[in-house]
Amino acid sequence: MTTNIVDKDGNSIGASDATVPSDRHFRNAWSLSGSTITEDLTASKLIFKDKVREARTPLLAAEDVIYMKALEDADTDAQAASVKKKKALRDAPAASAISSADTIAKLKAAWDTSTLGDSPYA
């Protein structure tokens, strides 16, 4: 039985016949060229942005709780800090480091740990 690898465009090759990237983080961005599989950077950026959105969802929910508590306490400093943090979370997928990355390594390094926490690409 032969295991096939299918790239993002539906092209397939036998796994034993292919040169495959060692990293599977961007598996859905793989592109087949002959017997070599590479990572399509444009598709990888979309996957990366989706991962950012996934990571920020619980952080935004937690920040909503913090904001509501600050609102109840009439703590304008805490409210302002919360608004700033939520803006940073909302803006995270549009970070210039993501759009300017020209390699997969630079894309992985674009994860903003100060906003999103630990990188899934470390």
Side-chain angles (χ1 to χ4, degrees), residues 7 24 26-27 36 40-41 47 51 57 73-74 80 94 110 113 115:
D7 74 358
R24 296 181 58 88
F26 299 107
R27 167 66 181 87
T36 302
D40 179 305
L41 188 59
I47 293 168
K51 193 65 151 175
T57 299
D73 294 339
T113 57
T115 301

Side-chain angles (χ1 to χ4, degrees), residues 57-78:
T57 299
L59 299 173
L60 280 167
E63 202 58 43
D64 283 341
V65 172
I66 291 169
Y67 181 82
M68 291 306 293
K69 287 180 180 178
L71 190 61
E72 289 171 358
D73 294 339
D75 185 344
T76 57
D77 290 339

Side-chain angles (χ1 to χ4, degrees), residues 109-122:
W111 189 270
D112 184 355
T113 57
S114 66
T115 301
L116 300 167
D118 293 339
S119 173
Y121 304 109

Side-chain angles (χ1 to χ4, degrees), residues 66-100:
I66 291 169
Y67 181 82
M68 291 306 293
K69 287 180 180 178
L71 190 61
E72 289 171 358
D73 294 339
D75 185 344
T76 57
D77 290 339
Q79 289 174 33
S82 182
V83 167
K84 183 177 179 182
K85 176 124 187 206
K86 290 196 296 184
K87 181 172 178 5
L89 288 166
R90 281 191 218 99
D91 292 347
S96 63
I98 298 170
S99 59
S100 67

